[in-house]
Amino acid sequence: MGTAVVAGIGGRLPPRAVENAELAERLGSSDEWIRTRTGIGRRYVASPGTALSDLAVEAGARALKSAGGGPADAVVLATTTPDRPCPGTAPDVATRLGLWSAAAFDVAAVCSGFVYALAAGTGLIGAGIAGRVLVIGADVFSSILDPSDRATSVIFGDGAGAVVLRPGEPDEPGALGPFDLGSDGGGADLITVRAGGSRQRLSGTEPDPRDHYFAMAGKSVFWRAVQQMAQSSQAALDRAGWRPDDLDHLVCHQANQRITDHLADELGLPRERALSNIADVGNTAAASIPLALDQGHADGRLREGDRILLTAFGGGLAWGSVTLRWPRLDGTAGGERHE
């Protein structure tokens, strides 16, 4: 039985870097405070006039180029910050990439969105609906952050990452292994934007202005993220017939360096096997895993045949994991390039 295989990768960061010092001055914090609690040194922020679709298009174009050019039959875009509530952003991205009449839709699973989008792309290929799928994870969280909220404004950055999937065999480099996906709607209020949806609009009351911004219960989320990703990761490894020590790299959602470290500990992995770029780009939500993969490919840390585990946890609550054997890819799309 075949599966989906990663055939290309690309990433895009906005040009403006925001160092900790800039935020610390405004928020009455310090570079040391931010680094100690998050592991973040800088993040990139979209400039006025830049939309989510702009970053997604550029990341998608780089992934298609990395895959040798040519079209895709479907575009799956994972994002929490679409260009507008309606319609979805994926069809616009597909059209701007010249993918006329391609199937295109958005996936809303917050920071787990890229893993869910990979599962959707794999399903499209497995069902024979699409022969080639462009999967994009992209977010501009700067558009929904309260600039006065120190708890969230120091964490998130903007960016986009993408991969191209094609049909292939489970034993070839690039093959995506079994998935593990799950959710718990009982934790919906832990990671949320309370205003703007039908529940608030039909409530008959005016929302607090702060309810239009992203909010997160950081302490509650921290340990749930570690434990749920650990359980999901083990489930994906068991289905693939892999043990944790078989892994060359762990690539988890880049939420917080301490979460990454604790997750590696829970899985019994040396922390250095956990790929991390959060110090340089912050938490880029749905873009974090593909951007980390793109950077790892660009700097040579990911080599053909490496066994990799992808895992994520985010709002919903939703989580997901999948195994991957790294492919041979021509060229690099350069997730760290932001010219």
Side-chain angles (χ1 to χ4, degrees):
M1 183 177 179
T3 188
V5 173
V6 174
I9 191 164
R12 180 66 162 126
L13 294 169
R16 180 170 178 254
V18 177
E19 305 287 341
N20 284 347
E22 180 178 338
L23 293 178
E25 182 179 358
R26 174 164 58 81
L27 295 168
S29 183
S30 68
D31 174 72
E32 181 183 8
W33 186 91
I34 296 170
R35 287 181 185 271
T36 300
R37 286 159 178 76
T38 68
I40 298 169
R42 74 174 61 87
R43 72 287 297 145
Y44 291 85
V45 176
S47 301
T50 299
L52 180 282
S53 60
D54 299 327
L55 298 178
V57 165
E58 293 190 49
R62 291 179 177 184
L64 289 167
K65 182 178 180 181
S66 171
D73 305 305
V75 176
V76 185
L77 172 63
T79 188
T80 302
T81 53
D83 284 4
R84 41 187 149 175
C86 175
T89 304
D92 178 48
V93 170
T95 296
R96 290 169 60 183
L97 287 169
L99 305 176
W100 312 108
S101 76
F105 58 93
D106 293 3
V107 169
V110 199
C111 296
S112 296
F114 183 72
V115 176
Y116 271 74
L118 284 177
T122 299
L124 291 172
I125 289 173
I129 296 171
R132 212 162 178 243
V133 180
L134 176 62
V135 177
I136 306 171
D139 269 308
V140 284
F141 255 58
S142 62
S143 66
I144 59 172
L145 295 179
D146 180 350
S148 66
D149 180 7
R150 183 170 67 170
T152 58
S153 61
V154 301
I155 296 174
F156 291 92
D158 303 334
V163 297
V164 175
L165 303 181
R166 62 164 176 83
E169 297 303 320
D171 59 351
E172 69 175 291
L176 288 165
F179 284 83
D180 176 77
L181 303 175
S183 71
D184 176 9
D189 286 337
L190 296 178
I191 302 172
T192 186
V193 177
R194 294 182 177 86
S198 61
R199 177 175 293 278
Q200 175 268 307
R201 289 177 182 274
L202 296 176
S203 67
T205 60
E206 286 296 316
D208 186 301
R210 291 171 295 183
D211 288 346
H212 289 282
Y213 291 118
F214 175 83
M216 179 171 64
K219 291 183 179 179
S220 297
V221 167
F222 187 101
W223 288 112
R224 291 192 69 160
V226 172
Q227 296 301 320
Q228 203 62 66
M229 282 195 289
Q231 293 173 22
S232 180
S233 294
Q234 190 60 60
L237 289 171
D238 289 345
R239 292 170 188 172
W242 293 3
R243 298 168 303 181
D245 58 8
D246 291 328
L247 291 173
D248 296 294
H249 304 285
L250 167 67
V251 183
C252 67
H253 164 53
Q254 304 288 297
N256 181 303
Q257 186 59 49
R258 291 188 298 150
I259 288 178
T260 298
D261 290 343
H262 281 293
L263 177 59
D265 295 344
E266 285 286 322
L267 293 174
L269 286 173
R271 289 183 176 183
E272 58 267 22
R273 291 196 200 175
L275 207 66
S276 176
N277 68 345
I278 193 169
D280 296 322
V281 303
N283 179 341
T284 55
S288 76
I289 287 178
L291 280 173
L293 291 173
D294 187 33
Q295 180 181 343
H297 169 59
D299 63 23
R301 279 180 293 172
L302 300 182
R303 295 174 293 184
E304 182 179 0
D306 280 356
R307 293 189 175 194
I308 301 169
L309 174 71
L310 311 181
T311 186
F313 176 93
L317 301 169
W319 56 84
S321 304
V322 63
T323 56
L324 166 66
R325 292 187 62 216
W326 193 248
R328 178 182 178 84
L329 298 175
D330 294 330
T332 177
E336 286 302 292
R337 293 191 335 209
H338 37 264
E339 67 276 358

